[in-house]
Structures are given as C-alpha cells and as structure tokens.
C-alpha cells in the first residue's frame, strides 16, 4: 500500500513539473512556428482604383512631373511583349554592364494612382517597374528630387496592383525567356506618346506628343531607347537652329551606331553561332535626370545599366540631333558614357585606361562616317601630337606612370593614340580581335602586366607582326614570356609606326634601326668602357678590373649584348686590344642566345686568336632569331686575372 501511494506521488510530481515547463513566458507562437518576416498580420492588398495617394504630389510636381487629370487613364487595355530573348549578360561579354531584358510597355503611371496589370496564367518570372529614373541620390546634398523615385515588384499570374507616389514610365522585366508572346491587360495608366522606329511616322507621333499631358516619353529603336522629357520634345519641334522635323532620322542613326560601332565592333551579332558572340538582347538605354549620383553624366552599373545624363539641352541634343550624329560633332559625351559600359576591364583594358578605351568608340563612328577626328574633342588635337613626341623620344619610358602621359587634361587622349595608330594602319578589326579574344580567354587578368601581355599578343596576331618595338616605344611593359611567344611566331616590326599621326595621316614610314648595345658585364671597366665594345672603333677598348678584383670580377667573365630586338643574327666578331700588348687577350669562350634575357640556349664554343685581328664566329646552325647574347670568357692567354677587348659585337645577315 505504501509503495502504491509513493508511486502515485511520483506521477503527480512529474505531471506538475511537466505543466510548469510548458508555461508561455510571454511568447505566443500560434502554429508552432515563429514568423520572422515582419509582415503585418491580416494585411490587405490595395485594390481601390479610385483611391489616389497624393502624399507625393509636392515632390512629384518638381520631378518627374504630374499628369493632368484630363489625360485619359486606360481601362483593360491590351499590349503584347515578345519576351523570347537570349540571355546575354555582362559576365558573358566580360564588359562592365550590358542591357537587361527590360521591356518598354508604352504606358506611364500617374503619381499616386493605382495601376492594375493582369498577367496570363502560367507566365512567371516577371517584374513590373514604375519609374525610369533609377539613380539613388541618398546622401546627396542638396537634393533636387527625392533620393529614390522608382518602385519595382514581382508579378504573378492573375491580377497585380502597384502604385508609385512619384509616377513614372512602366516597364516589365523578365528573368527568363518565354517562347511565345505574352499579352497583358493594363488599367489605370496613361498612354505614353513614345516614338517607335519603323512603326510610327513623325507626323502621327508629333500629334500624339502635342495632345499628351504625360511628362516623359521614350524614343525607341531595336538597339537603343532614350527616356526624355516631353516638354523638350515640344520645344524642339519649333527650334530655330535645328527644328525636329523627322525624329526617325536621329533614331535610325543611333540604331546604326549601336549595330555597327558598338555591338558590331565588339564582334557581336544577333544570330552568331556561339552564344558568346551574340548581341545583347535588350536595348541600350539613355536617361535624362534632374540630378545624378555622379558627375554631369555617368555610365551604367551591372544592376542599372542605363547611361544617365543631366536633363539639359546638351545631352538632349546628343540624343535627337541628326546633324550631330552625321558629323560626330558634340557626340563625344554620349559615346564616352556608353563606351564605359563596354570596357573589358577584367581582361585587357588596364587600370590607367579607364578614361581611354571607352573613347575609342567615338573614333570608330567617325571612321565609318568619314568625320574629321580633329572635331571630336579639343583635346584630341592637342593630345595626339604630344603623345607622338613622347613615343618618339629615346630612353626608358613607362606608359602608365610617366608624368607626361598622366596629365589630367591630355593624358587620356595621349593614351588613345597607340590604339588609333594600330586601327588606322592595320584596320579597325583590331578592336574586334581584342573583344572577341577577351570573351574566349581561358582566365581573367590578375594584374596590369597580364593585360599588357594580352593586348600585345592579340594585336601582334591581328597585324601578323611582332609589335614589341611599338610597345617599347610607348613604354608599355611586356613580360619576357609574352615576347618570346610572339617573337617565335611573327617577324619583327620594321617601321616606326609610333610616329604616325592619325590627324593628318602622315608619318610612320621610317625604318626601325636596331642598335646593338651592351646590357651588362660581370666586371666593371677599370679602363675604357662597356660602350667601346660595340662602337666600331679599334682604338677604344674595354679593360676589366685589374686592381684587386673580387672573385666575381675575374674569370669566368660574362658579357651580355642586345641586338635591340628579336631579329636574325648571323654570328659574332671579336677584336683584341690594338697594338702589341696581348696580356689581356681572351682565349676560350662559350656563346648563348636568349629571346628574353632569362632563358638562354647554348650556341657554341670557340677559341679566340691571340692577336688584335678581327675574328668572326658564324653560328654553326645558321641565323638565330634572338635579342640577347651571352658570352662567357672561360680563360685567357696569360695568367693575368683580367680581360681586354677592342670589339665584341653581333653580325647581322
């Protein structure tokens, strides 16, 4: 009995402990799972189309503008988009940014008004964005508009609602392709008086613009889209200098620029066999804004690839002036910013070319339309001659760090010069070679020297000549390994093409004279000089250290000579010191050759005569194509610890 009562006591105690352990401690989890989403409970979706959120009216009135109530709002309007694109990303192209699968709808949402969009069943992976001005101005002082004035949200099959208190152009984004066109139904938005090349006529479009109260519209073609303010379009219709009489003309010219001078020049086309060579499936876009995150105009970024310019007449005219586009006058800025988007900085456009390689596209356009390079930018006419003078100067140079090449005003233009010289003399396809090879490169560059090597190798391959003299003249450092690789495949450049002036099409025809020189000797000259070895003067000489020489300053002596480039060399000749003193005559020597002054190949051994007469050693296996030659003097004709030569030089074929 006692044991039964004790057992009952234990059971009651355990149940009490169990109930005590389950108390709530102030935390309620209704379904057993904590909701960390921070979404409000029992929330509802705003579906009242009559409700207008006017909280942003004051700011929207400043920018991007209000929409008059008299402007019709559509109800159950249909529009169809072809979303069957080929994914082509900036990572594939290895450029800074590329167009996204972003689709213009032709509609504009009024500030604070609800837009209803019906997506067909089974269509997923879409987003809607209201607002084409995507610069985030957070931290800018003073602010001319609110920092963020666009909104973006995911779409689902069925009915979707969205509003933006600032209003804006309506876009659809696709995360993957849809093989059949998609028909959408939209309500609550206004029709944007966009112009679509090869669809609209100027007169019908002009009538739509004049009748519309929508503040922004798009100029659209297959390759490029510009978001511009309606009021500037209206003013341009009657502009005294260049009235806008046919909007199709500048837009068609822009379409050609991107088709041939950007996409095409980079080696891209719509139907290329390899997807890496296909054009971006979206359109390049330019946007005008009242305030920018950076500068007067800026290029895009991977997440926002639009080029953005300040909303003024200069940028607007660069979009809409056929005269500018037909002459390349005052188009530099737009090509400059779009060019930034296209730089292959991860493969070959090295760190000091940030404001250089983006501008090469301006020259491609000018070449195609036969425009005068001198009119492209004032600094072209001043920078190119300065650059040519720099390249023509003898001595050690460094393209990337020399003060002369890094002046803030002329430096970027000086650095364009070697590229334009190659394009003009060997063809503008050299740029296509760089971009195409850049897309196919097995690995990205680790540093600027890798990029130097890439440009040197690919341009040499394109030109079918070893361009090392050209790169040396410009002070563009190239690795010995890269030099050896190209030198073994192509003949050396023979003309001084770095003196060619693209502005007047002159120069660059003089022959290159490769001068033999002494690179180093293991013993200093106690009498005479190193230069005496290659001066073709038998009365001068080199005499090694004879007063207390160190072990490194006596036998075996090492001499390294340079031919000036990797060129054919037939042999070497030697002269002992003139006169009757034979005490320093060398006897047994070994000869080696190298293309890079690092890796040497044995050529042969010979015995020099104990005289002052010229002795020629012709290479036993014929001409050797190399730049560096090492002579090791193993012994002399006396026991003296020194050596004397009047001449030690190379024999050219």
């Amino acid at each position: 009995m006692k044991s039964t009562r004790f057992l009952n006591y234990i059971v009651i105690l355990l149940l009490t402990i169990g109930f005590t352990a389950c108390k709530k401690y102030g935390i309620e989890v209704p379904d057993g799972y904590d909701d960390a989403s921070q979404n409000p409970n029992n929330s509802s979706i705003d579906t009242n189309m009559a409700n207008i959120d006017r909280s942003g009216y004051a700011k929207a009135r400043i920018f991007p503008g209000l929409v008059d109530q008299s402007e019709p709002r559509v109800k159950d309007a249909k529009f169809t988009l072809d979303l069957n694109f080929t994914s082509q990303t900036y990572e594939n192209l290895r450029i800074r940014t590329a167009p996204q699968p972003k689709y213009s709808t032709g509609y504009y949402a009024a500030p604070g008004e609800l837009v209803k969009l019906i997506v067909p069943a089974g269509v997923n992976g879409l987003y809607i964005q209201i607002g084409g001005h995507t610069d985030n101005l957070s931290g800018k002082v003073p602010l001319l508009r609110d920092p963020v004035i666009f909104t973006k949200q995911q779409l689902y099959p069925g009915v979707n609602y969205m509003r933006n208190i600032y209003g804006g152009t309506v876009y659809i984004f696709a995360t993957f392709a849809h093989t059949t066109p998609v028909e959408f139904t939209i309500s609550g938005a206004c029709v944007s008086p966009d112009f679509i090349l090869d669809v609209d006529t100027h007169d019908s479009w002009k009538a739509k613009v004049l009748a519309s109260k929508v503040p922004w519209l798009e100029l659209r073609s297959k390759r490029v889209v510009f978001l511009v303010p309606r009021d500037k379009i209206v003013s341009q219709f009657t502009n005294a200098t260049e009235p806008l009489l046919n909007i199709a003309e500048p837009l068609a010219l822009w379409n050609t620029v991107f088709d041939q001078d950007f996409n095409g020049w980079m080696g891209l086309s719509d139907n290329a066999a390899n997807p890496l060579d296909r054009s971006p499936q979206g359109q390049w876009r330019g946007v005008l804004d009242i305030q920018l995150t950076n500068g007067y105009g800026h290029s895009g970024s991977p997440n926002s690839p639009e080029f953005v310019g300040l909303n003024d007449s200069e940028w607007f005219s660069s979009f809409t002036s056929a005269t500018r586009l037909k002459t390349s006058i005052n188009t530099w800025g737009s090509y400059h910013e779009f060019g930034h988007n296209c730089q292959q900085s991860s493969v070959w456009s090295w760190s000091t070319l940030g404001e250089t390689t983006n501008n090469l596209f301006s020259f491609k356009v000018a070449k195609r339309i036969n425009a005068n390079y001198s009119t492209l930018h004032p600094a072209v006419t001043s920078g190119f001659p300065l650059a040519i003078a720099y390249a023509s100067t003898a001595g050690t140079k460094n393209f990337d760090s020399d003060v002369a090449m890094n002046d803030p005003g002329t430096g970027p233009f000086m650095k364009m010069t070697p590229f334009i010289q190659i394009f003009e003399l060997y063809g503008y396809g050299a740029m296509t070679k760089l971009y195409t090879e850049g897309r196919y490169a097995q690995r990205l560059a680790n540093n600027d020297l890798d990029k130097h090597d890439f440009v040197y190798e690919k341009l040499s391959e394109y030109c079918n000549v070893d361009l090392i003299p050209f790169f040396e003249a410009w002070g563009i450092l190239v690795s010995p390994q890269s030099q050896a690789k190209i030198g073994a495949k192509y003949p050396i450049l023979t003309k001084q093409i770095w003196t060619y002036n693209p502005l007047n099409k002159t120069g660059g025809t003089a022959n290159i004279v490769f001068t033999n020189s002494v690179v180093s000797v293991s013993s200093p000259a106690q009498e005479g000089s190193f230069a005496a070895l290659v001066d073709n003067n038998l009365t001068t000489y080199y005499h090694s250290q004879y007063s207390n020489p160190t072990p490194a300053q006596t036998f075996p002596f090492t001499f390294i000579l340079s031919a000036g480039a990797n060129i054919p060399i037939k042999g070497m000749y030697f002269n002992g010191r003139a006169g009757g003193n034979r005490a320093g005559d060398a006897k047994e020597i070994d000869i080696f050759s190298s293309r890079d002054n690092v890796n040497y190949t044995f050529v042969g051994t010979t015995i020099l005569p104990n005289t002052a007469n010229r002795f020629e050693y012709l290479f036993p296996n014929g001409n050797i194509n190399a730049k560096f030659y090492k002579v090791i003097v193993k012994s002399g004709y006396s026991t003296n610890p020194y050596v004397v030569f009047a001449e030690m030089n190379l024999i050219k074929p």
Side-chain angles (χ1 to χ4, degrees), residues 418-430:
F419 290 95
I420 304 304
Q421 288 175 330
I422 292 294
F423 297 160
E424 287 288 306
L425 294 173
Y426 291 95
Y428 275 72

Side-chain angles (χ1 to χ4, degrees), residues 523-530 533 541-546 577 581 583-584 642-645:
S523 174
Q526 186 161 347
E527 293 182 15
S529 66
F530 295 167
L533 293 167
Y541 61 90
Y542 159 83
H543 195 309
S544 70
Q545 182 77 24
Y546 55 81
R577 176 169 47 178
N581 187 349
Y642 56 81
V643 70
V644 184
F645 284 98

